Amino acid sequence: MSHVLEQLQWRYATKKFDSGKKLSTEKLSILKTAFDLTATSFGLQPLKLVIVSEETIKQELVEFSFNQQMVGDCSHLLVLCIESEVNEQYIVDHFKLIQEVRQTPREILDPYQEYLIGHFGDKEKIEVDEWMTKQAYLAMGNLLTVCALEEIDACPMEGFQPAEYDRLLGLKERGLRSVLVMPVGYRHKEDMFSQLKKVRRGVEEVIVEI
Ligand SMILES: Cc1cc2nc3c(=O)[nH]c(=O)nc-3n(C[C@H](O)[C@H](O)[C@H](O)COP(=O)(O)O)c2cc1C
């Protein structure tokens, strides 16, 4: 079997972490860079990854995660956040970055920049929030695969109260809104879920070839 497929079989949504085992700085750094390298629509990266390692804060967040203990027991809690808005300044800054990195002439960048300012200017806030949230799901998918390859255990999670997370972590003040959570670390040897077979519909069922 290919290495990637072996690792995708190895991974599972970890329900019980060994709270004594922490991710090394190197492993954490791989996750940070993988997050930054995630592809996003228009390359705008309207996301930030908040990494919680402070024990007391992780414990406080368990209550706002429907008492899912992974949030407290994990090594680090990754909170995927969207920006509070994508305004004209945000887009202008993005194009400044392209110009700096690639030395692309302004006459090439300007029409595209104007197009995006118009595109986002025409949208309702709820539409832009939905679009940003889709980018967060993509980042979480990317992180899950990277975790599998690096033998880091993880649990993708929608089961939490975003408003409470935002309040406790002071996310609004940072111009952010939490949309997904992912505890990472190392599985507890007593996590019975690590022994269960994967339940999948199967390639014959989920693939359509035309
Ligand atoms: C978007 C998303 C949200 C999820 N939310 C939770 C959650 O809140 N709690 C939990 O225990 N598992 C959660 N899961 C894990 C899924 O139940 C799990 O990935 C699925 O059953 C497949 O099992 P596997 O990941 O172990 O292969 C979530 C998964 C995804 C992709």
Side-chain angles (χ1 to χ4, degrees):
M1 200 193 290
S2 84
H3 177 60
V4 173
L5 292 184
E6 264 174 19
Q7 290 313 111
L8 291 177
Q9 282 288 349
W10 171 87
R11 70 146 295 281
Y12 71 106
T14 306
K15 308 288 178 189
K16 192 172 166 66
F17 284 89
D18 184 337
S19 58
K21 289 192 188 159
K22 302 290 172 196
L23 289 192
S24 66
T25 313
E26 189 208 344
K27 291 284 187 196
L28 209 52
S29 161
I30 292 170
L31 295 185
K32 290 175 189 174
T33 306
F35 178 78
D36 189 44
L37 285 174
T38 299
T40 55
S41 175
F42 303 119
L44 279 169
Q45 294 184 279
L47 306 172
K48 280 195 185 169
L49 183 64
V50 172
I51 304 178
V52 184
S53 58
E54 182 60 45
E55 287 303 325
T56 49
I57 301 180
K58 280 194 289 136
Q59 292 304 334
E60 277 182 82
L61 289 169
V62 172
E63 179 190 348
F64 304 116
S65 316
F66 303 101
N67 284 321
Q68 300 191 78
Q69 299 298 320
M70 304 85 95
V71 165
D73 294 343
C74 63
S75 164
H76 292 74
L77 181 67
L78 310 186
V79 183
L80 290 99
C81 301
I82 58 171
E83 298 282 345
S84 45
E85 60 171 337
V86 174
N87 57 21
E88 185 166 335
Q89 191 57 51
Y90 186 94
I91 295 167
V92 167
D93 288 346
H94 176 66
F95 279 87
K96 272 192 199 140
L97 183 63
I98 302 177
Q99 192 188 343
E100 266 169 44
V101 174
R102 293 186 173 162
Q103 276 87 47
T104 311
R106 279 316 310 187
E107 55 269 32
I108 292 177
L109 294 179
D110 284 344
Y112 189 29
Q113 175 178 301
E114 288 318 300
Y115 164 74
L116 283 188
I117 290 171
H119 175 80
F120 284 97
D122 288 344
K123 291 205 183 301
E124 297 292 335
K125 179 167 168 42
I126 190 166
E127 290 178 273
V128 180
D129 282 0
E130 265 176 28
W131 169 80
M132 288 194 280
T133 303
K134 287 178 187 167
Q135 314 311 310
Y137 276 81
L138 200 53
M140 189 166 78
N142 188 30
L143 286 176
L144 273 177
T145 305
V146 172
C147 279
L149 291 171
E150 292 294 327
E151 304 214 330
I152 297 168
D153 285 301
C155 185
M157 281 178 58
E158 283 172 323
F160 72 107
Q161 293 172 260
E164 299 298 339
Y165 266 60
D166 294 357
R167 180 182 59 76
L168 228 141
L169 299 173
L171 296 181
K172 197 174 174 194
E173 294 80 343
R174 293 177 188 269
L176 299 173
R177 204 154 73 67
S178 59
V179 290
L180 284 167
V181 170
M182 192 166 112
V184 292
Y186 295 99
R187 62 188 72 174
H188 195 287
K189 59 181 188 315
E190 283 165 17
D191 187 1
M192 56 170 279
F193 284 87
S194 70
Q195 307 301 326
L196 299 179
K197 278 191 172 172
K198 284 231 172 285
V199 179
R200 291 297 190 267
R201 291 165 69 196
V203 171
E204 304 74 21
E205 188 64 25
V206 298
I207 305 297
V208 178
E209 286 178 305
I210 294 173

